[in-house]
C-alpha cells in the first residue's frame, strides 16, 4: 500500500511505476493530482480515485486490469493509458473529455464495446493488438 500521501495534499504529479502495487488506495488526500502514472504494477481494479477530480492523465498500462470503469467522477481526464492489460470491457467514459485513449494489446473483441469509447472529444485512439481489429466492420465503425 501507498502510505503517508496525506502529508502532501498539494501534490500534482505522482509516478509510482514498476513497484508491484496491487491496489489504488490512500489517494483520498490528493485532490489536486494532475498526473498519476502507475504503469507496470499489479493493479487489478480502478478504484480510490473519487477525490482526484482534477486528474488529467492516468497511466495504468501493463497492470492486471480486466475492465475500465469507476472513472465517471474524473471530469478533467483527457488521457487514459491502459495498454497491455486484460481488458475486455470499457464503461463509464461517456461524460469524460478524453482526447487520448490507449487500449492496445488487451482483450477487446466486440464492436458493441466500441460504442462506450467513441467520444466526441477523442483525437487519438489505439486499439492495435485486440481481437476487435480483425472484425470485418471494424474499419467502418472506427
Amino acid at each position: 500500500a501507498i502510505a503517508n500521501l496525506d502529508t502532501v495534499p498539494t501534490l500534482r504529479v505522482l509516478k509510482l511505476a514498476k513497484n508491484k502495487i496491487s491496489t489504488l488506495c490512500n489517494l483520498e488526500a490528493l485532490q489536486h493530482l494532475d498526473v498519476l502514472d502507475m504503469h507496470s504494477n499489479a493493479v487489478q481494479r480502478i478504484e480510490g480515485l473519487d477525490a482526484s477530480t482534477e486528474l488529467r492523465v492516468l497511466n495504468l498500462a501493463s497492470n492486471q486490469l480486466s475492465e475500465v470503469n469507476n472513472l465517471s467522477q474524473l471530469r478533467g481526464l483527457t488521457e487514459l493509458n491502459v495498454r497491455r492489460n486484460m481488458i475486455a470491457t470499457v464503461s463509464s467514459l461517456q461524460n469524460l473529455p478524453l482526447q487520448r485513449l490507449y487500449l492496445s494489446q488487451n482483450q477487446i473483441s466486440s464492436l458493441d464495446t466500441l460504442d462506450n469509447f467513441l467520444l466526441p472529444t477523442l483525437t487519438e485512439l489505439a486499439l492495435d493488438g485486440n481481437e476487435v481489429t480483425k472484425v470485418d466492420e471494424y474499419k467502418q465503425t472506427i
Side-chain angles (χ1 to χ4, degrees):
I2 309 161
N4 299 321
L5 291 176
D6 56 334
T7 62
V8 286
T10 58
L11 191 68
R12 303 285 302 160
V13 177
L14 180 58
K15 295 184 178 187
L16 291 169
K18 301 179 181 178
N19 279 292
K20 300 178 183 174
I21 296 168
S22 59
T23 58
L24 294 174
C25 60
N26 300 331
L27 300 174
E28 298 83 16
L30 304 180
Q31 296 179 7
H32 302 289
L33 197 61
D34 185 55
V35 176
L36 178 58
D37 183 352
M38 293 191 62
H39 78 274
S40 303
N41 279 292
V43 177
Q44 295 178 358
R45 280 188 300 283
I46 299 175
E47 58 190 356
L49 297 174
D50 292 345
S52 302
T53 56
E54 293 182 24
L55 193 64
R56 190 179 49 80
V57 176
L58 178 58
N59 185 351
L60 290 170
S62 298
N63 275 282
Q64 297 173 7
L65 298 171
S66 59
E67 62 184 332
V68 174
N69 59 2
N70 298 328
L71 296 174
S72 58
Q73 74 285 359
L74 303 179
R75 299 287 183 199
L77 193 66
T78 59
E79 181 176 319
L80 177 61
N81 185 348
V82 286
R83 288 181 168 125
R84 296 179 302 278
N85 278 282
M86 301 171 287
I87 296 167
T89 60
V90 178
S91 63
S92 74
L93 300 182
Q94 290 81 4
N95 297 317
L96 300 180
L98 279 175
Q99 296 171 4
R100 291 169 301 285
L101 179 57
Y102 305 109
L103 287 159
S104 304
Q105 299 171 19
N106 278 290
Q107 296 175 2
I108 297 169
S109 59
S110 169
L111 284 172
D112 296 337
T113 305
L114 296 182
D115 292 337
N116 293 320
F117 51 82
L118 292 177
L119 309 167
T121 55
L122 208 58
T123 58
E124 194 172 339
L125 173 64
L127 283 168
D128 53 296
N130 284 285
E131 287 297 312
V132 72
T133 61
K134 298 175 185 172
V135 175
D136 289 339
E137 298 85 25
Y138 168 75
K139 287 185 181 176
Q140 295 160 354
T141 304
I142 298 296

